[in-house]
Amino acid sequence: GLYNYLPFGLKAVQKVERIVREEMNRSGAFEVQMTMVTPSELWKESGRWELMTEMCKFKDKRDSEICLSPTNEEAVVEIMRKSIKSYKNLPVNLYQINTKFRDEIRPRFGLMRAREFLMKDAYSFHLDQDCLNQTYQKMYDAYERILKRIGLEYVAVIADAGAMAGPEQQTHEFQVVANTGEDEIAYCEKTGYGANIEKASSIRNTEDLKQINKSEQKLELVATPGMATIRDVCEFLKVPQVQSLKSLVYFDETNEKFFLILTLGDDELNEIKLKAAIQSLEVRPARDAELDHLGLPKGFIGPVGISDKVEVLYDSCVDLDAFYAVGGMKEDMHYTGFSPNRDGQTPCRVADVRLTKQGDLTSDGKGVIAIKRGIEVGHIFQLGDKYTKSMDFTVLDQNGKAVPPLMGCYGVGVSRVVAASIEQNHDENGIIWPASIAPAQIHFVAISKSEESTKICDEIYTQLLDSGWEVIYDDRKAGPGFKFKDADLLGLPIQLVFGERDFAKDGMLEIRERKSGKVHKISRDEILEKMTEIYKDLV
Ligand code: ATP
Ligand code: MG
């Protein structure tokens, strides 16, 4: 999780930084630089010193506890409360581009999830929600411009604001679409709906639901030897999976309660939705020992005759008057013909707790959901008064009353953007940089042995530099195949090729476009003009 930036990588990182900086400045934010190290006192005020498990803490010579900043809400509140006393100084939006350290549990995929990485983080302060909404929208727009300028295919999706968030608190993630992404996003091209799968709501495709069995059926215990998965049971009973219910036992850590959650057999549980439905901060599957204690046979659990220590919750797709196969509450047994209203425990809860899946309809019924993988490169978040309140930062409002300002925070993973760009834009030969963040514009491949042609190449190189082009000049003593391979691998948008033999024959060079593979034959005099023309179409 620790990476040094070498010359090429650093250039790309700096280009991303520049675009981010320009768009932040343009949207009215001010650049600052906070310290990498922050004292424990600040984190103790907000209560996060013990909570943040990814924090790298240590002590200085004076035995004071400090840490490497994983994020800077506390530090920025400290700046603000020292310098701002009146509503007249709000709103303010401060940002920095700075190193963060997070002792991630599983650092992986290089820069994608590093422990030390570069982030643009911004923090805004407001007297009221309206003002926060306006800046939030400005940041949303700035993020769109940043990703468009870089040239990445992305979607902005609704994200999970956590169980503590108020209903007005918005949060969006900016996800770069890529098969290797760690996140799943539900997206509908037609309606523009996008949400992190954790947060997505949708309607189950009604064609599937037509298969649910609504004709009267007796409750019957049948033997299902060794069939502990829904798929096996349904195959064995020769019914489609929507005619069965999946039983999951969860423990709600907040309210210290067990739940039996029943979804349609081919649906999955969404833990985030479950938490919201039962107002819990933390849930987890029940442990084997707990199941034993409750008398629940793993693999054959069901709602019939369940202990009253367990509350029953049905997903809202379950038709409470229809008939299903469920666990038999005995080893190797299942019930058929279970009907929740007739045979189940009452009272019970009903809530939308299923995971959205491919083919679902959007909540407005107007479009179809596709599931894509994404890389989260940006996150914008309305924090409310969480930090200003806990850290006792107030300003005087119009009536002279001291009030804690509202906050927003806005992050871009600068180094992650570089990695995400490569994930989205490459082929079997290597990187294909978008022109906007390529380490340089031109890869000049010079195939020259004689002194005379080397001199010509040096002149061309100087001429390009003089005209303001960023050029990598491959003047190594190596064969053409070797050089072309490297040029493709490094992936600069334009390759300029000087071949000694061809040039001697007809005085021509080649321009190759890395992305499209297009080749243009040009004479030496045309280089600058053609270069401008071709490059124009790449940005
Ligand atoms: P993730 O869910 O991927 O861990 P996060 O929710 O912890 O991200 P934030 O705290 O919102 O991320 O940080 C803002 C941005 O910083 C993220 O959108 C992401 O682009 C980037 N980022 C976060 N953690 C890392 C990391 N370990 N390595 C590189 N970039 C990161
Ligand atoms: Mg994280």
Side-chain angles (χ1 to χ4, degrees), residues 54 102 104 113:
E54 295 168 354
R102 292 183 184 177
E104 297 270 358
R113 185 171 297 285

Side-chain angles (χ1 to χ4, degrees), residues 44-47 74 81 385-393 404:
K44 283 179 182 160
E45 282 186 60
S46 73
E74 285 79 355
R81 70 181 173 187
D385 61 7
K386 183 172 171 196
Y387 295 96
T388 49
K389 215 172 183 173
S390 60
M391 294 183 68
D392 211 11
F393 166 37

